[in-house]
Each structure stands twice: as structure tokens, then as C-alpha cells.
Amino acid sequence: MKVSYTFFRSQRVSLVLAVLIAWPALAHKGAHPDDPDKLASPLGGIIKETEKYHVEAVPTATAARLYFYDTKMKPTDVEKIQAKARISTPRATLNLVLEPKGMYFDAPYPREPLMRYKLIVVITDKKDEVLVYEIDPKTIKAPAKAKALEKK
């Protein structure tokens, strides 16, 4: 009985194509459903990465909280971290005062932002690293996890 190998060859090609198409979905960093390259944020904020830290911005109506994590997402004490922050709108740029509060920096706004703005954080350890967060005040809700952490 003679077996045709063309059938098996086409099956192998289909299998290889299926693996190549599915590969990007299998190779992701975090558990964020919208963007697999995004890290899942512990407090519901926005996470950006630097060489040394992961920085989570948790904006509220009156301030921004900046939580620093190491590369393994373990919280880092902010007392040793040198950083500056400012908010930028199309009309103005305002420098913020970063107040260390143990596990996070508190950056109160001079006045409540009414329009979309950029929160710009500059970490000044050995070299300056700039993180830019796009924030829309209309969508700000203080995450429950951050509120619970505040009460402790």
C-alpha cells in the first residue's frame, strides 16, 4: 500500500503557521487584558518602566501618588529615590512638590486640573530617566486598593 506524504506535509505546514500566528499572544509580560506588554498594576494606576524601577502613578483629583517597585514588582521605600515631577497642559507647566510618605511620593496639585494633562516624572539617580503619563481628569477614580493603603 502506497501512502501519499503530501497530506502529512500540508498538516505540518498548517501546524507551523498556527504556532507562528499564536506566538505573540503567548509571549507577554503581564496580565493586562487590553495590552499584553503592560504590567498589571497592584493599585490600579498606570505603570511605566525604567531600568531600575517600575513606577505606578495613581492620580486623584487633588494629587498624584507615585509608587516605586523594583524590577520584580516588590515595593521600594522612596526615601532614597531622587525624583522630580511636573504636570503639563497645553496652557502651562507646573512643578510639583514630591512629599515622601514611606512607600510612595505624594504630589499635591496646586489647583485641580480641569483638562487632560501629562504627568512628567524625572528620576535623577545616576542618569535622568523621564516617564510621561497621559491623564484625563474626567476618568480619574481613586482605586479602592490605594484608598485602603492610605488608611493604614
Side-chain angles (χ1 to χ4, degrees):
M1 176 175 185
K2 197 172 189 179
V3 178
S4 170
Y5 289 103
T6 56
F7 174 74
F8 294 114
R9 191 177 310 149
S10 67
Q11 291 292 328
R12 274 187 281 165
V13 169
S14 298
L15 180 64
V16 168
L17 285 174
V19 168
L20 288 175
I21 289 170
W23 192 263
L26 298 173
H28 68 285
K29 282 186 188 176
H32 199 281
D34 298 333
D35 185 359
D37 285 337
K38 260 189 188 172
L39 290 166
S41 66
L43 299 173
I46 306 162
I47 291 216
K48 301 279 183 172
E49 298 176 53
T50 68
E51 210 172 283
K52 198 173 173 183
Y53 303 107
H54 295 294
V55 183
E56 180 177 16
V58 181
T60 66
T62 58
R65 299 243 162 81
L66 300 171
Y67 294 86
F68 282 73
Y69 305 97
D70 64 11
T71 55
K72 295 183 180 171
M73 291 302 291
K74 293 192 177 161
T76 303
D77 188 18
V78 298
E79 297 293 330
K80 300 173 187 168
I81 299 171
Q82 298 292 318
K84 297 184 276 186
R86 64 184 181 269
I87 57 174
S88 175
T89 66
R91 295 184 186 156
T93 299
L94 301 169
N95 290 324
L96 301 176
V97 176
L98 292 178
E99 301 168 358
K101 302 275 184 163
M103 299 311 288
Y104 65 90
F105 280 114
D106 196 28
Y109 303 139
R111 61 178 181 270
E112 186 176 337
L114 301 174
M115 62 178 63
R116 181 174 288 190
Y117 62 95
K118 292 180 184 179
L119 173 63
I120 302 162
V121 179
V122 181
I123 301 168
T124 57
D125 277 346
K126 293 178 183 170
K127 63 177 183 174
D128 287 0
E129 294 187 86
V130 179
L131 303 172
V132 179
Y133 300 88
E134 299 275 341
I135 299 173
D136 186 355
K138 294 175 188 165
T139 62
I140 290 177
K141 291 183 221 162
K145 292 177 188 176
K147 283 182 184 175
L149 227 135
E150 249 177 59
K151 292 178 184 174
K152 289 183 181 178

